[in-house]
Amino acid sequence: MATSKLLLTFAICRLIVTVGLTLDPTELLLLGVDGQLSVDPSDVETASLDFGLLTRAAPPLAVLHPASAQDIAQLIKAAYGSDFGFTVSARGHGHSINGQAQTANGVVVQMSGSKRGSGRKPPQPRVWPREKYVDVWGGELWIDVLRSSLEYGLAPKSWTDYLYLSVGGTLSNAGISGQAFNHGPQISNVHELDVVTGKGELLTCSEEQNSELFHAVLGGLGQFGIITRARISLEPAPQRVRWIRVLYSNFSAFTRDQEYLISLHGEAGSQKFDYVEGFVIADEGLINNWRSSFFSPRNPVKISSLEPNGGVLYCLEITKNYHESTASTIDKEVELLLKRLDFIPATVFTTDLLYVDFLDRVHKAELKLRSKGLWEVPHPWLNLFVPKSKIGDFDKGVFKGILGNKTSGPILIYPMNKHKWDCRSSVVTPDEDVFYLVALLRSALDNGEETHSLEYLTNQNRQILKFCDDAGINVKQYLPHYTTHEEWMDHFGNNWDRFYQMKMEFDPRHILASGQQIFTPTFRSSSKMVASW
């Protein structure tokens, strides 16, 4: 215990020396946190990295492993109330791409996972089966939310493709997958939040209570507060999933069918699919690789045999949820829906699996990649919302143009209904009734191939953004990353003034989530506070 306090005192002294914190070290030692404020080298090293491996920030001064929302509130109050202050960033599973959860001159709050010997731990998920919602800690992983709710035969309505992400992390962005056309993003399925603001206030917010904070935090990129509890809407969980993939060589037919399928969102469950996604296949290798291992390795699909237009194929990915008691009707429902689509005949690939196995499918791919040393590599991902009216231009300029026939990873593409998104949230989407997610999920590999190198892929991302700008395609980045104030203002457009006002209301010293590079921390000089972007 004496050693632990000595290390913590050393960490606080670093804070004082580095950022001029005018607190006696014992004041932070006596904050009364039930968790642990750590300066362990492995902790601070981990907090300086993320999944993208594109940026490496200087290690934070300390890492807080909170046991409660009160621990986080105490920390932020100390930062907000000091004469000079320090920054605080929340880190979930560390799956950000461009250092969004990092902070060099402050404290990282490690929301996910627990620290051995740290005393109390954050609360476990609590399911309310009659009300059909679950209360979860902000650092809880979605896979654990699923497991907890399935014990009651329930599950959240909207997902991300990968479940080893924190609740607070995805709600700070939007949280999307193939269910978003029907249920909206994850942020459209939240009843209530507990949030620690940049002033250290712990507030409960919802549609009825502190509603400005509620809507600002959802999709707010961590700028207004740290989510410590979320009340997530649930629905009865199906038991099994019919998982179907069909192929297209004609992009117009592919997008027309996708848009038709998402237009069925208001129909009865038997008359629509439950999940609609898709991906682009620009080279022979991708269609039979880990993302597409759905296809039989004994009968690999050959792009050249399908006469693709411009050397590119498109795969529509759809599912029907069902219970074993209704299995007898699933074939007919799928058959009727597929009859309305214009895919390449004889390219229907189908499998059946448990609901939980479908939702957790990417984790199985992760384990395969880890075994080959292909997971912990740089990920120069680019995620874009593309307006429906320009998706054809994007196809010609990017899929059939800039990318060539080397992709170095999956490229997802699927449409969403804008009216399923709450315009009061902080997320920015194209101003059209339907828009597409295009997610270029590439991995940079050091295998000697130029087209797989980090430099090549990063430059290609710049080319894609420049092409969109030159072609008048008003894309909006999802999981956005910009480095200048002007770029952020352009991203938010007409919503910038509101976003800035909410920042000044809930985090006026710009303490939170400085890794996003939207605002520069603003600390007091004497008794004055100077606004800074």
Side-chain angles (χ1 to χ4, degrees), residues 133 190-193 203-216 218 229 231 422 424:
Y133 56 69
V190 180
H191 292 299
E192 189 175 271
L193 299 171
L203 301 175
T204 297
C205 54
S206 65
E207 288 271 6
E208 295 78 25
Q209 183 179 5
N210 295 313
S211 60
E212 278 197 336
L213 178 63
F214 180 71
H215 295 299
L218 293 172
R229 179 185 64 92
R231 178 165 287 179
D422 194 324
R424 295 170 295 178

Side-chain angles (χ1 to χ4, degrees), residues 224-242:
F224 313 109
I226 295 177
I227 297 170
T228 60
R229 179 185 64 92
R231 178 165 287 179
I232 307 296
S233 180
L234 303 176
E235 66 177 356
Q239 294 173 317
R240 299 191 64 82
V241 170
R242 174 71 54 84

